[in-house]
């Protein structure tokens, strides 16, 4: 089997370590690099993951590297084709994602500057919260072309919606297709008009009240997990989402996925990072794919764009 390329995951916490493990288990990369500022943590996790290779049957090597606040150790990421940024604090119960903006902006800016220096050709997938703002900040700090900086939110939100619909109807998740657009937060825009179960419109199978209930649960999907865990936030579904995006980029697959991408005229919206459907390839976003929306869905998307636009402007000074 041909393996190629190098992917780095910055931040070896719950999200980062599970993402690194998933990427390694795909067995399509030469190397997965995992970094963190906690000395020894990425090296220890990498050693442990490497030892799972004979059992799980994959050859991709995992390298751990401790990095310093002045950029020490970043040589390890040199030549990365893809960098996933997971560094940053997660929410605690009762916190909104936006409560993390100041502390995570400092972390993400420092990481992004080092990524620009050591992996200048990489496609960057951002997951740190608040997601839309951290994606915009990463683009500013790296000065990478906007297509090469993408955020992960829509894959996760859509997966949560799909899971809830499948649970409600008692069907396989594979038979359900859902879609969420907009921002990763209060202005997430679920798109029931694109939701189907075995090809049948969701609106024929569930009442408007039932759909609303599932939409609300999806919108609060992250908070529901945070409240149960009490320390830390979700990482199994989030890491699956980020890893799939990295795989689509690595394989130049042209898959169309809901991601946080730079919008430049689509839906009549410009100049903002927003959750939309996009075709992914080796250079990140090949193009934003517009899907037909109902009037209220389009209005919701425009509202989300204005809400995140204001916050994205703020990150310049953080
Ligand atoms: N986009 C999404 O859908 C989504 C979903 C879940 C979590 N998240 C976000 O992902 C981030 C990580 O979550 P987690 O559960 O892994 O948290 P975590 O606390 O388990 O891990 C974060 C890691 O980042 C490291 N870190 C901090 N500063 C760093 C720096 N300057 N350089 C390198 N590493 C640094 C920490 O040492 C820690 O190991 C959080 O901001 C969380 O809110 C996003």
């Amino acid at each position: 089997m041909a393996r190629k390329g190098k992917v780095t995951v910055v931040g070896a916490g719950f999200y980062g370590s599970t993402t690194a493990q998933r990427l390694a288990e795909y067995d399509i990369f030469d190397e997965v690099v995992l970094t963190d500022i906690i000395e020894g943590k990425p090296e220890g996790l990498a050693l442990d993951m490497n030892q799972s290779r004979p059992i799980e049957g994959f050859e991709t090597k995992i390298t751990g590297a401790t990095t310093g606040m002045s950029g020490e150790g970043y040589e390890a990421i040199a030549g990365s084709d893809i960098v996933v940024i997971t560094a940053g604090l997660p929410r605690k119960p009762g916190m909104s994602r936006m409560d993390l903006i100041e502390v995570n902006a400092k972390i993400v800016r420092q990481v992004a500057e080092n990524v620009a220096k050591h992996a200048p050709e990489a496609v960057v997938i951002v997951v740190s919260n608040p997601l839309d703002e951290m994606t915009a900040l990463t683009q500013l700090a790296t000065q990478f072309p906007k297509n090469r900086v993408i955020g992960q939110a829509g894959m996760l939100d859509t997966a949560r919606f799909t899971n809830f619909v499948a649970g409600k109807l008692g069907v396989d998740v594979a038979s359900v297709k859902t879609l969420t657009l907009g921002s990763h937060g209060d202005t997430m825009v679920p798109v029931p008009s694109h939701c189907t179960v075995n090809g049948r419109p969701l609106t024929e199978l569930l009442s408007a009240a039932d759909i609303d209930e599932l939409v609300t649960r999806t919108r609060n999907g992250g908070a529901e997990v945070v409240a149960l865990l009490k320390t830390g936030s979700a990482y199994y579904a989030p890491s699956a989402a980020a890893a799939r995006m990295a795989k689509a980029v690595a394989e130049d697959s042209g898959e169309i996925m809901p991601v946080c991408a730079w919008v430049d005229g689509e839906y009549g919206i410009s100049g903002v990072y927003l959750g939309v459907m996009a075709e992914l390839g080796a250079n990140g976003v090949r193009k934003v794919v517009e899907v037909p929306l109902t009037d209220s869905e389009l209005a919701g998307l425009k509202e989300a764009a204005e809400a995140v636009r204001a916050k994205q402007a703020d990150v310049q000074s953080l």
Side-chain angles (χ1 to χ4, degrees), residues 10-17 35-38 41 67-69 74 85-91 97 100 104 106-108 110-111 126-131 151-154 156-157 160 184 232-235 238-239 241:
V10 179
F14 288 112
Y15 197 147
S17 56
T35 74
D36 203 286
I37 47 165
I38 301 177
K41 185 177 182 185
T67 56
M69 291 312 283
Y74 266 92
I85 300 181
T86 78
L89 302 191
R91 283 191 282 173
R97 294 182 178 93
L100 300 167
N104 281 356
K106 289 190 178 56
I107 293 171
V108 169
Q110 187 256 351
V111 169
V126 181
V127 311
S128 311
N129 271 320
L131 189 272
Q152 186 299 115
L156 170 63
D157 295 333
R160 284 179 171 152
H184 190 46
S233 61
Y235 52 95
S239 62

Side-chain angles (χ1 to χ4, degrees), residues 23 54 77 96 107 110 114-115 123 125 176 184 191 217 227 233 236 284:
L23 291 169
I77 81 163
S96 85
I107 293 171
Q110 187 256 351
N114 281 296
V115 169
V123 170
I125 299 170
V176 182
H184 190 46
V191 187
R217 194 167 175 206
S233 61
Y236 286 112

Side-chain angles (χ1 to χ4, degrees), residues 11-262:
F14 288 112
Y15 197 147
S17 56
T18 40
T19 302
Q21 182 192 10
R22 289 184 191 283
L23 291 169
E25 287 182 356
Y26 287 155
D27 208 14
I28 60 168
F29 296 99
D30 267 338
E31 185 182 11
V32 175
V33 177
L34 180 62
T35 74
D36 203 286
I37 47 165
I38 301 177
E39 201 182 342
K41 185 177 182 185
E43 291 85 348
L45 290 170
L47 185 60
D48 189 12
M49 284 181 210
N50 277 320
Q51 291 166 358
S52 76
R53 295 187 305 154
I55 305 169
E56 281 299 321
F58 65 94
E59 297 291 339
T60 296
K61 290 180 194 62
I62 304 109
T63 306
T66 302
T67 56
M69 291 312 283
S70 309
E72 308 90 328
Y74 266 92
E75 312 79 59
I77 81 163
S80 296
D81 306 286
I82 303 166
V83 176
V84 184
I85 300 181
T86 78
L89 302 191
R91 283 191 282 173
K92 295 195 173 77
M95 277 175 103
S96 85
R97 294 182 178 93
M98 206 50 82
D99 292 335
L100 300 167
I101 192 164
E102 293 207 3
V103 60
N104 281 356
K106 289 190 178 56
I107 293 171
V108 169
R109 184 182 285 280
Q110 187 256 351
V111 169
E113 286 170 357
N114 281 296
V115 169
K117 196 163 154 196
H118 294 276
E121 304 301 326
V123 170
V124 183
I125 299 170
V126 181
V127 311
S128 311
N129 271 320
L131 189 272
D132 308 274
E133 289 73 16
M134 293 305 110
T135 307
L137 175 61
T138 298
Q139 194 282 323
L140 277 171
T142 55
Q143 286 297 303
F144 284 1
K146 296 190 170 77
N147 58 290
R148 280 209 278 128
V149 179
I150 332 169
Q152 186 299 115
M155 284 286 282
L156 170 63
D157 295 333
T158 299
R160 284 179 171 152
F161 195 10
T162 296
N163 180 57
F164 292 144
V165 169
K168 179 86 184 169
L169 291 170
V171 297
D172 293 347
V173 288
S175 63
V176 182
K177 293 205 178 354
T178 65
L179 179 60
T180 65
L181 301 175
S183 82
H184 190 46
D186 295 340
T187 41
M188 177 193 303
V189 184
V191 187
S193 70
H194 282 266
C195 299
T196 57
V197 179
N198 286 318
R200 286 184 64 195
L202 184 61
T203 44
E204 284 179 14
L205 299 164
L206 286 176
S207 67
D210 280 343
I211 294 176
D212 271 356
E213 191 186 309
L214 299 182
V215 161
T216 303
R217 194 167 175 206
T218 301
R219 189 170 282 129
N220 300 326
E224 185 178 352
V225 176
V226 169
L228 288 164
L229 294 179
K230 295 181 188 68
T231 55
S233 61
Y235 52 95
Y236 286 112
S239 62
R244 279 289 152 175
M245 288 170 62
K247 186 167 188 270
V249 172
E251 294 179 333
D252 193 21
S253 74
E255 265 172 280
I256 297 171
M257 299 178 170
V259 301
C260 177
W262 184 252

